[in-house]
Amino acid sequence: MPRRYLNLTPLPDALAAMRRAFPPLDHTETVPLRLAVGRVTAESLYAEYSVPLADIATFDGYAVKSADTLGAQDQRPLPLGDCARINTGEILPPSFDAVVMVEDTWDEDGKTWIRKSAAPWQHVRHAGEDIRAGELVLPKGHQVRPFDTGALATYGITRVKVRSVRVGIIPTGSDLVPLGVVPAPGQTVETNTLMAEAYLTRMGATCRRYGIVPDDPDLIQRALEEAVAENDLVILSAGSSAGSRDYSADVVGALGEIIFHGIAVRPGKPVLLARVDGKPVLGMPGYPVAAQTVLREVAGDLLCWWGLSPVQGEELDVRLSRKLASDLGFDEFIPVSVGRVDGTCWATPHPRGGGIQMAVVRANGYLHVPAGREGIEAGEEVRVRLTVPQERIARTLICTGVRYPALNELGNCLSDAGYLLHCCNASTMGAVLALRAKTCHAASVCIPKTETAWNDLVLRYLPEVDLLRVQVARTELGIASSDALDTGALESLRFVNRPKGSAARVFLDAWLEEQGIDADRLTGYEHEVRTPGAVAAAVSNGFADAGVCPAAMAREAGLRFTPLGHETCDLLIREELAGDEGVASLIRAARSPESPERLQPLEK
């Protein structure tokens, strides 16, 4: 079967083509009030009757004629003459025009007394004060909120006519397993349809998730034909790229007309849009973050065009903490964490990529780099779309640096105090520079336990800064190998390495120098991986014979281990920020008995 190459369409052009191809629907349905929350009204809703229907009392007390109470004072109390006992919500008798609260009366000598005169219509709700019969309650196009239902019920509305958009979501892929099944190597839990259903339902759509369809064109075609017959929009999850097992383009091309295949967006480039039986079929990438971009920027745009409600997200102007490069001609969406440091809001980017879900989980917003920009400079003002309420930003603490598991526990302690700790990944050098630039509240740095490490990697870049330091972890590092390490035969081994500046690289270089071995003669010395887990996996899976990783990882993988030294993960905080309430909470959490060491001034 011939493969078609992706022909990238600019995002604005793709959205315009989509709107031209699929004009707004006029599909409606009527649902019971209890099922109306989240749905968008298809017509205006009017009160069936006035509320209240008559003048009523707003407090328990006595219905009175206000003229009869004139002259009542603290020093000259008056007895109530013509009055009637009344309770909250009861109809005011026709001859009375005010209510005196029972708390403002007392009984004496068989009479009820007051010390203050009543104003006309005091504590009385007039007929129709809340709403009058036939008055507008909700306009057309309003997304019904939970508290709206109480008002609608009060005003006699029990059924609501809403806009109806039915979305069918089909997961494809022979490597997929359903939710709750532990995937084998090479398998993936199918989550994109779960995510799509949750997101599009928030907009007011009615979603149906179909079963997993293997990578078989005939099976995909049958599933697609069924979904098109039953829905207004069909989303095919995965299979939209140009791989040997990506069949979406061929299947929808055989059934209908492809409008575009590939848009200039990252992540989410291999998105596909087609028309089958007059209905849109959207093929979205299988990588979860890429799928999120397509749901938000493409599927969400179509549903808004069709009259559903956008997922609300506040926008905030902030400064970018570090330089971002971006390819000209691509709209790029990058997850960021936003926090206020010393009076300035900074956005710190998380790792990019269509499959890095935790980047989105750890973020509290995202940044759009337009296609006309090649990047954004550090310190430049940018607009961020928040994925959390804006008030949370003031309670967010940014920690830049190495993301050690111990920091997660520190974050748990902070959450009890009402603060959120966002850990943004960076090298030790990147963390130190972020602390110097005041773009983070704290920096997590991993330093080898050597005499010169602190001076070389920290203090020389922060010579005039007073710092607080706490050790959050101490790790033994060494060479993990598939067999016993023979120093005389190192040049015959395939190595996997860590980046320059990392503690693992420092220890390995020092050890090689001690052994009198030229690093340039080691096979794979220049082959760098980002994480210690990747080192252990490479050796364990036979892609390399040796590499430096923590002792615990080597043991877990069943590898031999040759100790080299220890590294510490330390949290650095500028003393001048210690008065900030959030930073003070971080310091208290670090000083708690659960912390490995107490916070202490950093000696210079």
Side-chain angles (χ1 to χ4, degrees):
M1 191 175 291
R3 310 304 304 165
R4 54 184 294 137
Y5 288 94
L6 302 181
N7 185 17
L8 299 183
T9 303
L11 178 60
D13 294 348
L15 298 181
M18 179 176 67
R19 292 188 173 204
R20 286 194 301 269
F22 304 107
L25 301 177
D26 191 25
H27 297 177
T28 64
E29 62 179 315
T30 301
V31 298
L33 181 57
R34 63 183 178 82
L35 299 180
V37 173
R39 305 298 297 273
V40 177
T41 57
E43 61 184 12
S44 299
L45 300 176
Y46 300 91
E48 294 291 324
Y49 42 73
S50 297
V51 176
L53 287 167
D55 294 346
I56 60 173
T58 58
F59 292 100
D60 298 334
Y62 294 90
V64 299
K65 297 175 183 177
S66 59
D68 293 347
T69 67
L70 293 176
Q73 301 175 11
D74 284 339
Q75 303 303 318
R76 186 186 172 191
L78 292 178
L80 288 178
D82 188 9
C83 65
R85 194 69 168 85
I86 195 170
N87 295 316
T88 302
E90 290 183 345
I91 297 174
L92 189 72
S95 59
F96 300 108
D97 68 347
V99 172
V100 176
M101 290 192 298
V102 68
E103 295 91 331
D104 295 333
T105 68
W106 75 96
D107 293 330
E108 186 177 318
D109 299 330
K111 296 179 180 179
T112 300
W113 295 76
I114 58 172
R115 286 195 174 93
K116 184 180 180 180
S117 60
W121 306 113
Q122 170 182 287
H123 305 319
V124 175
R125 285 184 67 199
H126 291 291
E129 181 179 300
D130 188 1
I131 200 166
R132 293 190 175 276
E135 190 175 342
L136 179 69
V137 181
L138 293 180
K140 179 180 179 180
H142 176 91
Q143 189 170 35
V144 180
R145 301 164 297 186
F147 292 154
D148 292 333
T149 60
L152 292 171
T154 299
Y155 308 145
I157 299 167
T158 59
R159 298 180 66 79
V160 181
K161 189 175 183 180
V162 296
R163 291 173 180 166
S164 175
V165 177
R166 299 190 178 277
V167 181
I169 314 168
I170 304 171
T172 68
S174 298
D175 61 324
L176 298 179
V177 296
L179 184 68
V181 174
V182 178
Q187 292 183 326
T188 304
V189 177
E190 197 290 295
T191 60
N192 280 356
T193 64
L194 182 72
M195 177 175 64
E197 179 184 39
Y199 186 82
L200 301 179
T201 298
R202 286 182 63 190
M203 300 186 68
T206 302
C207 297
R208 177 184 173 186
R209 295 165 59 208
Y210 291 81
I212 296 171
V213 182
D215 291 317
D216 182 304
D218 293 333
L219 295 178
I220 295 173
Q221 180 171 328
R222 284 202 290 271
L224 180 57
E225 288 174 332
E226 177 188 355
V228 168
E230 296 174 344
N231 298 280
D232 304 304
L233 163 66
V234 176
I235 297 176
L236 282 173
S237 175
S240 65
S241 191
S244 61
R245 294 193 301 170
D246 291 322
Y247 299 113
S248 293
D250 297 315
V251 171
V252 298
L255 293 177
E257 169 197 4
I258 293 179
I259 296 170
F260 58 75
H261 187 194
I263 57 177
V265 163
R266 287 180 178 160
K269 180 175 67 175
V271 62
L272 177 151
L273 180 67
R275 177 167 35 216
V276 177
D277 289 344
K279 299 177 181 180
V281 174
L282 185 66
M284 71 179 183
Y287 280 126
V289 181
Q292 291 172 25
T293 301
V294 172
L295 287 170
R296 189 183 62 238
E297 305 300 328
V298 183
D301 185 85
L302 178 61
L303 294 192
C304 286
W305 173 239
W306 282 356
L308 297 191
S309 181
V311 175
Q312 297 299 320
E314 298 175 271
E315 293 186 341
L316 189 64
D317 290 328
V318 303
R319 295 198 177 277
L320 188 65
S321 68
R322 57 178 181 243
K323 182 178 180 179
L324 270 180
S326 183
D327 288 339
L328 195 66
F330 281 85
D331 283 271
E332 189 164 10
F333 298 89
I334 301 167
V336 298
S337 280
V338 177
R340 187 178 298 277
V341 184
D342 199 26
T344 301
C345 273
W346 294 95
T348 300
H350 286 279
R352 291 181 265 189
I356 307 176
Q357 292 191 78
M358 282 308 298
V360 178
V361 172
R362 294 185 176 111
N364 56 15
Y366 63 91
L367 169 66
H368 176 200
V369 183
R373 296 290 303 269
E374 288 190 85
I376 303 175
E377 295 296 326
E380 187 175 338
E381 187 172 85
V382 294
R383 176 156 292 186
V384 168
R385 174 66 62 89
L386 299 178
T387 54
V388 300
Q390 185 171 329
E391 56 266 23
R392 288 195 193 176
I393 302 303
R395 307 191 70 80
T396 297
L397 299 176
I398 304 297
C399 176
T400 300
V402 181
R403 201 164 37 237
Y404 250 77
L407 296 176
N408 295 333
E409 299 308 315
L410 194 58
N412 286 336
C413 294
L414 275 176
S415 68
D416 293 337
Y419 287 93
L420 303 165
L421 183 64
H422 279 233
C423 295
C424 301
N425 200 38
S427 65
T428 288
M429 182 57 61
V432 170
L433 295 179
L435 198 68
R436 184 171 73 176
K438 291 188 180 181
T439 62
C440 62
H441 297 93
S444 59
V445 297
C446 283
I447 303 293
K449 294 286 283 186
T450 66
E451 293 182 3
T452 61
W454 275 105
N455 287 327
D456 292 345
L457 297 176
V458 178
L459 299 184
R460 63 180 292 192
Y461 296 99
L462 298 166
E464 305 299 327
V465 180
D466 294 323
L467 297 174
L468 297 173
R469 168 188 170 192
V470 62
Q471 179 180 301
V472 296
R474 183 175 183 270
T475 305
E476 184 179 26
L477 296 179
I479 300 175
S481 55
S482 50
D483 296 311
L485 200 63
D486 182 357
T487 56
L490 287 181
E491 293 181 12
S492 66
L493 300 180
R494 298 165 300 154
F495 269 77
V496 60
N497 214 343
R498 294 295 310 285
K500 292 179 180 178
S502 66
R505 184 71 161 259
V506 170
F507 281 132
L508 179 62
D509 290 348
W511 184 78
L512 291 174
E513 187 175 349
E514 285 178 10
Q515 302 297 321
I517 298 170
D518 184 357
D520 292 336
R521 298 175 65 97
L522 288 184
T523 302
Y525 180 83
E526 299 300 328
H527 177 204
E528 297 178 0
V529 294
R530 294 175 58 186
T531 67
V535 172
V539 178
S540 179
N541 294 331
F543 294 110
D545 299 314
V548 178
C549 73
M553 287 187 180
R555 285 195 299 270
E556 262 182 43
L559 301 173
R560 304 290 185 91
F561 184 77
T562 303
L564 295 180
H566 289 83
E567 73 168 349
T568 62
C569 178
D570 296 272
L571 202 62
L572 303 182
I573 301 169
R574 299 177 74 109
E575 282 191 8
E576 66 199 69
L577 296 181
D580 177 89
E581 183 181 341
V583 175
S585 296
L586 176 62
I587 292 173
R588 284 193 295 272
R591 281 176 169 163
S592 67
E594 291 79 14
S595 296
E597 291 188 8
R598 298 299 179 102
L599 202 66
Q600 55 187 325
L602 180 60
E603 295 181 3
K604 299 200 174 181

